[in-house]
Every structure is written in structure tokens, then in C-alpha cells.
Amino acid sequence: VQLQASGGGLVQPGYSLRLSCAASGSISSIANMGWYRQAPGKEREMVARINSGGTTHYADSAKGRFTISRDNAKNTVYLQMNSLKPEDTAVYYCDATVLTTTGEWVALIGSQGTQVTVSS
């Protein structure tokens, strides 16, 4: 089972990006899914999380600008980022808690994030 994030890029301040992260493999169901980010020289920080029921939680820095959502049929989580700021520049990673078809719960972290750069 693995996660693959995509959708990053270089945008100007105030613009938007939509990140996607798809889980693939022997998946029975997925509980929590989320996004976190890490900027150079900084600690990793949680950006947003969503549980299987659709309840969301955001970091203060993301509230009002970012929206997390998921498509359970596609085992995919999204992060819509609006009004981007230079301080949003980071590598964005996704994570998920997955129930495999063998009945094992696995905490996955996407090994390859997607770079978001906000600069004029």
C-alpha cells in the first residue's frame, strides 16, 4: 500500500493550488487522511486532517484559506489551497491510516511529497 501526492507547483502570492494524494494497493478502507508540510529548516507541521466521517481539523495557519476533502471511492484526499502566501512554501506530504485487505491497520506516510512554492 502506498501514497502518491501531486499537484504542487510555483505560484504567485494570492493564487491557488489543489493538491491530491491517492492511496493504492490492497486497501479495505481508510480512516484518517491528512496533509502536513515541511519547509527548509523548519519542523514538520500538520496542515489539515479529515476522518472517515468527513470531520475536518485545520492548523491555524490554514483556517479560512485551505479546504481538505476526500473521495472514498478513489481513496484520494485533496487539499484546496487559496490565497497562498510565501510562508506556505514547503514540501507537502500526505498521510493515511489504512485497513488492508488482510485486516491490518497501517499508518502510511507519503515518502515523496509535492513541492509548493509561493513567490512573486
Side-chain angles (χ1 to χ4, degrees), residues 34-55:
W35 290 94
Y36 61 98
R37 66 188 182 187
Q38 187 162 23
K42 294 189 176 182
E43 298 266 331
R44 185 180 74 186
E45 64 170 341
M46 187 278 293
V47 177
R49 302 197 63 77
I50 184 168
N51 66 16
S52 57
T55 300

Side-chain angles (χ1 to χ4, degrees), residues 8-101:
L10 171 62
V11 296
Q12 294 182 348
Y15 279 61
S16 299
L17 279 174
R18 188 191 194 209
L19 307 183
S20 300
C21 177
S24 60
S26 301
I27 298 170
S28 178
S29 64
I30 302 177
N32 299 322
M33 303 185 83
W35 290 94
Y36 61 98
R37 66 188 182 187
Q38 187 162 23
K42 294 189 176 182
E43 298 266 331
R44 185 180 74 186
E45 64 170 341
M46 187 278 293
V47 177
R49 302 197 63 77
I50 184 168
N51 66 16
S52 57
T55 300
T56 58
H57 177 71
Y58 296 93
D60 287 343
S61 59
K63 288 179 181 177
R65 299 188 300 126
F66 294 1
T67 302
I68 188 170
S69 61
R70 61 191 284 172
D71 184 333
N72 292 328
K74 296 181 179 180
N75 291 330
T76 299
V77 62
Y78 304 98
L79 186 67
Q80 177 67 42
M81 304 187 294
N82 299 328
S83 302
L84 282 163
K85 305 175 181 179
E87 50 264 44
D88 294 317
T89 296
V91 178
Y92 285 69
Y93 300 88
C94 57
D95 69 349
T97 304
V98 174
L99 178 64
T100 68
T101 54

